[in-house]
Every structure is written in C-alpha cells, then in structure tokens.
Amino acid sequence: MASLFRGLGRATARGVPKQLWTVLFLVVAASVALAFVPITPASIVGLLVVALAVATLVSAVEIVQAYEKRALTVFGEYRKLLEPGLNIVPPFVSRAYRFDMRTRIIDVPRQEAITEDNSPVTADAVVYIRVMDAKKAFLEVEDYVTATSNLAQTTLRAVLGDMELDETLSRRAEINARIREELDEPTDEWGIRVESVEVREVKPSAEVQGAMEQQTAAERRRRAMILEAQGERRSAVERAEGEKQSNIIRAQGEKQSQILEAQGDAVSTVLRARAAESMGERAIIDKGMETLSRIGTSPSTTFILPQELTSLVGRYGKQLSGSDVSEQTPRLDSQSFDAETREMLGLDDVEEILDDTGNGDREQIVEVVPEGSEVETERN
C-alpha cells in the first residue's frame, strides 16, 4: 500500500492530473472500507459521502513548493499562477501545471559542423536556463526544455560554420557569446532566460588533428632555431663589444704611457738645459776637452779646432795657472741663454711642465757649478 502511494506521488510530480490521483485514492479507500464494513445500503451511502468529502478536500488543496510556480487552469481556461504555499482551487475542475523556477542545465548533444575553411569539427555544449515568466512558458511553448535544446543545437552548428578552424579552437569565449546572443531573442518570447552557454569541446577530424600536430612541431623547431641564432648573434656582439672595450682601454693605456714618456723626456730635456744654463762656458770647455782627448787618440796628424774653443781653452788655462790673468779678463762664470733660446728650450715653462707629470712628491735638485756656487730648482 505504501509503495502504491509513493508511486502515485511520483506520478503527480511528473505531471499526472490530480483528478486521476483523486480517483485512484477513492477506489483504494472504497476497497478497504468494503473489506471491513458490512455491505448495507446505509453503509454504502456513508462510504460514498466520506469518499466524496475526502476527494473534494484533496482536489481543492494545492500545495506549491518554494522553488516552483504552478499555472492554474479551470475547465481548460488559464486563470493564474499559484505562488509557493497552500492554495485553494476549485475542486475537480481545476488543474495545475508545475514549473521549476531554479536554474536548469540542458546538455547539448555533440554536433558535427563544417567550418568556413571546409574543415569538419565536432562540438558539444552546456546551456543554463531559468524560467522567468511561468505564464509565457506555459502558454507560448509546448516544452521549453526540448525547444531550447533543439535551438541550441542548430545555433551551435551555425556559429561553427561561420568561423575558420583556428578560430573555433582559440575563440571559445566568442563562440559562447554568439550562441547566447542567438538564443536570447526566441527564448525571451517563451519566458526563458539563457544565463550561460559553455562549449565544452571543439574537436577537429583525425586527419586535420594530425596535420595540426605536424604544424605545431614545425613551428616549435623554427622558434628553437630562431632562439639559437639570436643567442649566437648576441654572443658575437658581446665578444665584439668586449674586444672593443679592451682595445679602447689598451689604446688609452698606450696613450697615457706615451704622454708620461713625453713628459718625462720634456722634463729631462728642461733639466739638462737648466744644468747647461747653470754651467755656462764651463760646460762648453768640458765638452771641448773631451773632444780633444778623443782627437789625441786619433791616428790623424792634422786637426782643425774652432776659434771659439781655442779662445775658451786659453782663458781656462790662464785662470787655472793664474800666471798672467788680468782684471779685465772675464771669468768663466755661468752664462745665461738669450730670450729666443730660452723660449725654444722651454726654460720659462719648466714649472708648468713639471706640474703636468702628475707626481705628488716634490724634491730638491742641486746642481754644482764652478766656484762652488749652487743652483737649486724644484721638480714635482
């Protein structure tokens, strides 16, 4: 008996008319009563009255769940929507059609389509819908679930046919948006709102998929070769840049060395000129005496001496012997260079030249000249 009532409840939930459920209930109740109550005219009338009262009560009460609405018809005429809760309806002549107001999931079967570039693909999708107007869903369409599913299938094929193969594989969001846009207009007339469309998989044919895999492998090899070439080029650039910097540093070092060497030569020349300036004629006589000593060792018997040298030697000898030196005879003191010679030797710029050498220390240079005099200069 319990299983019978459960079956009746499930049948009612699936849309079996409540009147049929009421008739079945009365038949079962009458059978039970006749099994335990003696059959008399009075008992039969009583059973009929009780059965009629129970049937009337059951037919007049309509209980609607919180997540649904029901369309009420009386004698086949639409009257209103029954809201969740307990509703009283005309008994025996009314009928309520149930509409679930929750989001419903429709599984779109796999569809085959030909893309714009003539590539066969298969795709399936999921559509999420919700009943927004139960009256339209009741009056405008026979079965809104089946209608929405069929419409989604045709729309999916049409959208895939308007796109190329690469677009169908990479623009999943665009496909979803276009299908939803195509479904919105007709489903609005049915009181249905398409909340979302999700394409689950777009799969090309086996031949096309193999060709795509080969293309992908070739593209990866090309990128690897490009990256390798770029790495070699960058390495060559870095090596060239390193050699360039090394050459620049080496050239700068050589330049600095030449500058320092030239400055040293200049300082040496200036110092020698200073020493020569301080020595005067004495230096010339010493140089001449060295020349005479080398001439003496020569096998030649003829010698030519400059007049200036013989005069200086004579003066030097007189001064050393002291025999006939007069007051008018000039002494062999240090002589100064004229202005042109000093400018040529750079004697007046010796301090600036010495400063350019870059040495931080300063030391004294003392040169000994004839007659015990000392000339002191400073060098950086």
Side-chain angles (χ1 to χ4, degrees), residues 181-228:
E181 183 179 357
E182 293 292 334
L183 293 178
D184 275 341
E185 183 177 356
T187 55
D188 283 344
E189 298 179 358
W190 304 337
I192 307 299
R193 185 180 70 184
V194 179
E195 294 186 338
S196 179
V197 178
E198 297 293 335
V199 176
R200 290 187 293 194
E201 183 183 12
V202 178
K203 186 176 181 180
S205 62
E207 294 80 4
V208 175
Q209 190 171 359
M212 292 176 61
E213 291 176 356
Q214 294 178 1
Q215 180 182 1
T216 302
E219 180 67 20
R220 290 180 178 177
R221 288 194 297 270
R222 184 182 69 85
R223 291 181 181 179
M225 295 174 62
I226 291 175
L227 292 177
E228 183 178 0

Side-chain angles (χ1 to χ4, degrees), residues 15 21 103 108 131 160 193 209 224 244-245 268 272 298 315:
W21 191 91
T103 300
V108 180
V131 177
L160 293 177
R193 185 180 70 184
Q209 190 171 359
K244 175 184 175 183
Q245 294 295 333
S268 177
R272 287 195 299 270
S298 175
R315 290 168 56 194

Side-chain angles (χ1 to χ4, degrees), residues 64-126:
V64 181
Q65 300 297 327
Y67 54 83
E68 65 182 11
K69 290 184 179 180
R70 297 189 182 184
L72 178 64
T73 59
V74 178
F75 292 109
E77 180 184 2
Y78 173 80
R79 292 293 180 88
K80 63 178 181 178
L81 291 176
L82 300 180
E83 299 295 332
L86 180 63
N87 295 269
I88 305 300
V89 298
F92 304 115
V93 294
S94 62
R95 184 176 178 181
Y97 297 88
R98 176 178 176 270
F99 291 92
D100 195 331
M101 306 302 292
R102 295 173 294 184
T103 300
R104 188 163 184 173
I105 302 173
I106 300 177
D107 189 4
V108 180
R110 183 174 296 274
Q111 303 295 311
E112 295 183 359
I114 303 297
T115 62
E116 190 176 8
D117 53 354
N118 297 323
S119 296
V121 295
T122 58
D124 59 348
V126 176

